[in-house]
Amino acid sequence: MANQELRQDESLSALMERGNVFAAQCPSREVLKHVTSRWGVLVLVALLGGTHRFSDLRRKIGGVSERMLAQTLQWLEQDGFVLRTSYPVVPPHVEYSLTPLGQEVGLRVEALADWIQEKLPNILAAQQADA
Amino acid sequence: MANQELRQDESLSALMERGNVFAAQCPSREVLKHVTSRWGVLVLVALLGGTHRFSDLRRKIGGVSERMLAQTLQWLEQDGFVLRTSYPVVPPHVEYSLTPLGQEVGLRVEALADWIQEKLPNILAAQQADA
DNA sequence: TAACTTTTAGTAAGTACTTACAGAAAGGTA
DNA sequence: TACCTTTCTGTAAGTACTTACTAAAAGTTA
C-alpha cells in the first residue's frame, strides 16, 4: 500500500515540488482556501471582466462588507493573483486587476461558478428529489 | 446604467432560471459554499477517483475530523452531487460515490485544485516577491 | 463477558470568519 | 467652518465553522 503512493512517471522530488492538496500541511491548502473563500471566488470572477475600483467591486458583489472585501483582496494580492494600483490622490483612488497568474486561476474558478449558475435548476430539482 | 443589466440575448425569465452568484440571495450561493468549502473540494476530487467508504475518505483527506467529513458529505448529498449507499450490516458499511451531476462539478473542482498544485512553486515565488 | 469493528449523532468548547460601526486622511464644495 | 469624497483600519460583537470527546448499534473474537 505504502509504495503505491509513488507513481512511475514522477520522482519523489517532483512530487514535493508539485504540492498535494490532500496533505494537511501542504501550503497549497492555504492558497486553495483563499481562492475558494466565500468572497475570493466572486472577486476573481469579477476581475476577470477587467480592472475594477474598490467600490465597483463592492457594488458588483452583492453582500460583501468593506472589511471582508479588503481582506480578501489582500489575500489574493499576497498570493500573486491580484495587482493593486494606488493613485496618490485624495480621496483615494485604487484599482484592482488580475495578474497573469490570477487570470489562470480566474478562468478555472469562473468555469466552476458558471457551471453552478447554469445547472442551478437541475441542482434545485435534485435537492427536492431526496428531501 | 440600470437597463444594461439585461442583455439582448437573454430574457428576464431566462436570467432568473440561470442563477446569479453575484446576487446575495441567489440559492446558487449556498451550492457554491458547499462545493468550495474547506473539505467539499477535497471530497469531490477524492470521489472522482471512484467509490470510497467513509473511513477511506477520512484516511485520504489529511486533517478532516469525522464530524466535518460527515457533515460535508451530507451537504453534497443533499445538493445531489454525492450518492450514499448504506449496507445493513454490523458494523456499518457505507459507500460514497458521485452522481452524474457530481462528476460534472468534480471535474471543474479538480481542474482548479490541479492547477494550484502544479503552479504552487510559481505562487510561492510570487508570495516571496512582494513580501 | 470484555473488547473490537464502522458510521454517525450529540455535546461542549475553541477558533476563525463576518458584520456593523466609528474614525482617519486631505482637498474641494457649500 | 461643516461636510462630502474613497479606501481602508481598528474595535467589539455575533455567527459559523471545527475539533475533541462521548456514545450508540449488534454481531465477532478473545
Side-chain angles (χ1 to χ4, degrees), chain B residues 90-101:
Chain B
V90 171
H93 182 132
V94 182
E95 293 184 346
Y96 293 93
S97 57
L98 293 180
T99 62
L101 210 56

mmCIF file with all atom_site columns, all heavy atoms in Angstrom, chain B residues 90-101:
data_model
loop_
_atom_site.group_PDB
_atom_site.id
_atom_site.type_symbol
_atom_site.label_atom_id
_atom_site.label_alt_id
_atom_site.label_comp_id
_atom_site.label_asym_id
_atom_site.label_entity_id
_atom_site.label_seq_id
_atom_site.pdbx_PDB_ins_code
_atom_site.Cartn_x
_atom_site.Cartn_y
_atom_site.Cartn_z
_atom_site.occupancy
_atom_site.B_iso_or_equiv
_atom_site.pdbx_formal_charge
_atom_site.auth_seq_id
_atom_site.auth_comp_id
_atom_site.auth_asym_id
_atom_site.auth_atom_id
_atom_site.pdbx_PDB_model_num
ATOM 1  N N   . VAL B 1 90  ? -23.540 -5.060 10.390  1.00 0.00 ? 90  VAL B N   1
ATOM 2  C CA  . VAL B 1 90  ? -22.876 -4.550 11.585  1.00 0.00 ? 90  VAL B CA  1
ATOM 3  C C   . VAL B 1 90  ? -21.497 -5.166 11.653  1.00 0.00 ? 90  VAL B C   1
ATOM 4  O O   . VAL B 1 90  ? -21.364 -6.375 11.550  1.00 0.00 ? 90  VAL B O   1
ATOM 5  C CB  . VAL B 1 90  ? -23.665 -4.909 12.849  1.00 0.00 ? 90  VAL B CB  1
ATOM 6  C CG1 . VAL B 1 90  ? -22.834 -4.548 14.075  1.00 0.00 ? 90  VAL B CG1 1
ATOM 7  C CG2 . VAL B 1 90  ? -24.992 -4.188 12.878  1.00 0.00 ? 90  VAL B CG2 1
ATOM 8  N N   . PRO B 1 91  ? -20.467 -4.286 11.811  1.00 0.00 ? 91  PRO B N   1
ATOM 9  C CA  . PRO B 1 91  ? -20.541 -2.827 11.872  1.00 0.00 ? 91  PRO B CA  1
ATOM 10 C C   . PRO B 1 91  ? -20.943 -2.228 10.532  1.00 0.00 ? 91  PRO B C   1
ATOM 11 O O   . PRO B 1 91  ? -20.811 -2.888 9.501   1.00 0.00 ? 91  PRO B O   1
ATOM 12 C CB  . PRO B 1 91  ? -19.119 -2.421 12.261  1.00 0.00 ? 91  PRO B CB  1
ATOM 13 C CG  . PRO B 1 91  ? -18.260 -3.543 11.840  1.00 0.00 ? 91  PRO B CG  1
ATOM 14 C CD  . PRO B 1 91  ? -19.091 -4.771 11.981  1.00 0.00 ? 91  PRO B CD  1
ATOM 15 N N   . PRO B 1 92  ? -21.434 -0.981 10.540  1.00 0.00 ? 92  PRO B N   1
ATOM 16 C CA  . PRO B 1 92  ? -21.948 -0.328 9.338   1.00 0.00 ? 92  PRO B CA  1
ATOM 17 C C   . PRO B 1 92  ? -20.977 -0.342 8.165   1.00 0.00 ? 92  PRO B C   1
ATOM 18 O O   . PRO B 1 92  ? -19.762 -0.269 8.340   1.00 0.00 ? 92  PRO B O   1
ATOM 19 C CB  . PRO B 1 92  ? -22.184 1.116  9.807   1.00 0.00 ? 92  PRO B CB  1
ATOM 20 C CG  . PRO B 1 92  ? -22.407 1.007  11.256  1.00 0.00 ? 92  PRO B CG  1
ATOM 21 C CD  . PRO B 1 92  ? -21.514 -0.093 11.718  1.00 0.00 ? 92  PRO B CD  1
ATOM 22 N N   . HIS B 1 93  ? -21.527 -0.440 6.978   1.00 0.00 ? 93  HIS B N   1
ATOM 23 C CA  . HIS B 1 93  ? -20.725 -0.367 5.752   1.00 0.00 ? 93  HIS B CA  1
ATOM 24 C C   . HIS B 1 93  ? -21.438 0.622  4.830   1.00 0.00 ? 93  HIS B C   1
ATOM 25 O O   . HIS B 1 93  ? -22.547 0.365  4.394   1.00 0.00 ? 93  HIS B O   1
ATOM 26 C CB  . HIS B 1 93  ? -20.640 -1.753 5.109   1.00 0.00 ? 93  HIS B CB  1
ATOM 27 C CG  . HIS B 1 93  ? -19.799 -1.786 3.873   1.00 0.00 ? 93  HIS B CG  1
ATOM 28 N ND1 . HIS B 1 93  ? -18.834 -2.747 3.661   1.00 0.00 ? 93  HIS B ND1 1
ATOM 29 C CD2 . HIS B 1 93  ? -19.751 -0.967 2.800   1.00 0.00 ? 93  HIS B CD2 1
ATOM 30 C CE1 . HIS B 1 93  ? -18.244 -2.525 2.499   1.00 0.00 ? 93  HIS B CE1 1
ATOM 31 N NE2 . HIS B 1 93  ? -18.788 -1.452 1.952   1.00 0.00 ? 93  HIS B NE2 1
ATOM 32 N N   . VAL B 1 94  ? -20.784 1.751  4.581   1.00 0.00 ? 94  VAL B N   1
ATOM 33 C CA  . VAL B 1 94  ? -21.393 2.789  3.755   1.00 0.00 ? 94  VAL B CA  1
ATOM 34 C C   . VAL B 1 94  ? -20.427 3.203  2.651   1.00 0.00 ? 94  VAL B C   1
ATOM 35 O O   . VAL B 1 94  ? -19.246 3.406  2.896   1.00 0.00 ? 94  VAL B O   1
ATOM 36 C CB  . VAL B 1 94  ? -21.746 4.038  4.595   1.00 0.00 ? 94  VAL B CB  1
ATOM 37 C CG1 . VAL B 1 94  ? -22.424 5.088  3.742   1.00 0.00 ? 94  VAL B CG1 1
ATOM 38 C CG2 . VAL B 1 94  ? -22.653 3.644  5.763   1.00 0.00 ? 94  VAL B CG2 1
ATOM 39 N N   . GLU B 1 95  ? -20.967 3.300  1.438   1.00 0.00 ? 95  GLU B N   1
ATOM 40 C CA  . GLU B 1 95  ? -20.130 3.697  0.307   1.00 0.00 ? 95  GLU B CA  1
ATOM 41 C C   . GLU B 1 95  ? -20.614 5.014  -0.275  1.00 0.00 ? 95  GLU B C   1
ATOM 42 O O   . GLU B 1 95  ? -21.809 5.250  -0.381  1.00 0.00 ? 95  GLU B O   1
ATOM 43 C CB  . GLU B 1 95  ? -20.154 2.616  -0.778  1.00 0.00 ? 95  GLU B CB  1
ATOM 44 C CG  . GLU B 1 95  ? -19.496 1.325  -0.338  1.00 0.00 ? 95  GLU B CG  1
ATOM 45 C CD  . GLU B 1 95  ? -19.448 0.292  -1.457  1.00 0.00 ? 95  GLU B CD  1
ATOM 46 O OE1 . GLU B 1 95  ? -20.153 0.476  -2.472  1.00 0.00 ? 95  GLU B OE1 1
ATOM 47 O OE2 . GLU B 1 95  ? -18.704 -0.694 -1.295  1.00 0.00 ? 95  GLU B OE2 1
ATOM 48 N N   . TYR B 1 96  ? -19.652 5.843  -0.657  1.00 0.00 ? 96  TYR B N   1
ATOM 49 C CA  . TYR B 1 96  ? -19.970 7.133  -1.256  1.00 0.00 ? 96  TYR B CA  1
ATOM 50 C C   . TYR B 1 96  ? -19.424 7.185  -2.673  1.00 0.00 ? 96  TYR B C   1
ATOM 51 O O   . TYR B 1 96  ? -18.295 6.765  -2.930  1.00 0.00 ? 96  TYR B O   1
ATOM 52 C CB  . TYR B 1 96  ? -19.360 8.272  -0.435  1.00 0.00 ? 96  TYR B CB  1
ATOM 53 C CG  . TYR B 1 96  ? -19.982 8.411  0.931   1.00 0.00 ? 96  TYR B CG  1
ATOM 54 C CD1 . TYR B 1 96  ? -19.436 7.763  2.037   1.00 0.00 ? 96  TYR B CD1 1
ATOM 55 C CD2 . TYR B 1 96  ? -21.131 9.169  1.111   1.00 0.00 ? 96  TYR B CD2 1
ATOM 56 C CE1 . TYR B 1 96  ? -20.024 7.872  3.299   1.00 0.00 ? 96  TYR B CE1 1
ATOM 57 C CE2 . TYR B 1 96  ? -21.724 9.293  2.361   1.00 0.00 ? 96  TYR B CE2 1
ATOM 58 C CZ  . TYR B 1 96  ? -21.165 8.644  3.451   1.00 0.00 ? 96  TYR B CZ  1
ATOM 59 O OH  . TYR B 1 96  ? -21.755 8.751  4.680   1.00 0.00 ? 96  TYR B OH  1
ATOM 60 N N   . SER B 1 97  ? -20.242 7.735  -3.578  1.00 0.00 ? 97  SER B N   1
ATOM 61 C CA  . SER B 1 97  ? -19.795 7.897  -4.956  1.00 0.00 ? 97  SER B CA  1
ATOM 62 C C   . SER B 1 97  ? -20.422 9.168  -5.519  1.00 0.00 ? 97  SER B C   1
ATOM 63 O O   . SER B 1 97  ? -21.271 9.775  -4.874  1.00 0.00 ? 97  SER B O   1
ATOM 64 C CB  . SER B 1 97  ? -20.231 6.683  -5.791  1.00 0.00 ? 97  SER B CB  1
ATOM 65 O OG  . SER B 1 97  ? -21.630 6.524  -5.711  1.00 0.00 ? 97  SER B OG  1
ATOM 66 N N   . LEU B 1 98  ? -19.988 9.553  -6.718  1.00 0.00 ? 98  LEU B N   1
ATOM 67 C CA  . LEU B 1 98  ? -20.525 10.761 -7.337  1.00 0.00 ? 98  LEU B CA  1
ATOM 68 C C   . LEU B 1 98  ? -21.702 10.431 -8.243  1.00 0.00 ? 98  LEU B C   1
ATOM 69 O O   . LEU B 1 98  ? -21.689 9.425  -8.950  1.00 0.00 ? 98  LEU B O   1
ATOM 70 C CB  . LEU B 1 98  ? -19.444 11.470 -8.155  1.00 0.00 ? 98  LEU B CB  1
ATOM 71 C CG  . LEU B 1 98  ? -18.279 12.078 -7.373  1.00 0.00 ? 98  LEU B CG  1
ATOM 72 C CD1 . LEU B 1 98  ? -17.301 12.749 -8.339  1.00 0.00 ? 98  LEU B CD1 1
ATOM 73 C CD2 . LEU B 1 98  ? -18.778 13.066 -6.338  1.00 0.00 ? 98  LEU B CD2 1
ATOM 74 N N   . THR B 1 99  ? -22.698 11.297 -8.227  1.00 0.00 ? 99  THR B N   1
ATOM 75 C CA  . THR B 1 99  ? -23.795 11.178 -9.181  1.00 0.00 ? 99  THR B CA  1
ATOM 76 C C   . THR B 1 99  ? -23.283 11.786 -10.489 1.00 0.00 ? 99  THR B C   1
ATOM 77 O O   . THR B 1 99  ? -22.211 12.397 -10.504 1.00 0.00 ? 99  THR B O   1
ATOM 78 C CB  . THR B 1 99  ? -25.007 11.997 -8.712  1.00 0.00 ? 99  THR B CB  1
ATOM 79 O OG1 . THR B 1 99  ? -24.617 13.372 -8.659  1.00 0.00 ? 99  THR B OG1 1
ATOM 80 C CG2 . THR B 1 99  ? -25.464 11.544 -7.337  1.00 0.00 ? 99  THR B CG2 1
ATOM 81 N N   . PRO B 1 100 ? -24.033 11.644 -11.584 1.00 0.00 ? 100 PRO B N   1
ATOM 82 C CA  . PRO B 1 100 ? -23.592 12.276 -12.840 1.00 0.00 ? 100 PRO B CA  1
ATOM 83 C C   . PRO B 1 100 ? -23.376 13.775 -12.643 1.00 0.00 ? 100 PRO B C   1
ATOM 84 O O   . PRO B 1 100 ? -22.388 14.340 -13.123 1.00 0.00 ? 100 PRO B O   1
ATOM 85 C CB  . PRO B 1 100 ? -24.762 12.005 -13.785 1.00 0.00 ? 100 PRO B CB  1
ATOM 86 C CG  . PRO B 1 100 ? -25.332 10.711 -13.303 1.00 0.00 ? 100 PRO B CG  1
ATOM 87 C CD  . PRO B 1 100 ? -25.223 10.789 -11.801 1.00 0.00 ? 100 PRO B CD  1
ATOM 88 N N   . LEU B 1 101 ? -24.283 14.425 -11.899 1.00 0.00 ? 101 LEU B N   1
ATOM 89 C CA  . LEU B 1 101 ? -24.150 15.848 -11.612 1.00 0.00 ? 101 LEU B CA  1
ATOM 90 C C   . LEU B 1 101 ? -22.872 16.099 -10.813 1.00 0.00 ? 101 LEU B C   1
ATOM 91 O O   . LEU B 1 101 ? -22.137 17.069 -11.058 1.00 0.00 ? 101 LEU B O   1
ATOM 92 C CB  . LEU B 1 101 ? -25.375 16.300 -10.802 1.00 0.00 ? 101 LEU B CB  1
ATOM 93 C CG  . LEU B 1 101 ? -25.867 17.734 -10.932 1.00 0.00 ? 101 LEU B CG  1
ATOM 94 C CD1 . LEU B 1 101 ? -26.170 18.091 -12.372 1.00 0.00 ? 101 LEU B CD1 1
ATOM 95 C CD2 . LEU B 1 101 ? -27.101 17.945 -10.062 1.00 0.00 ? 101 LEU B CD2 1
#
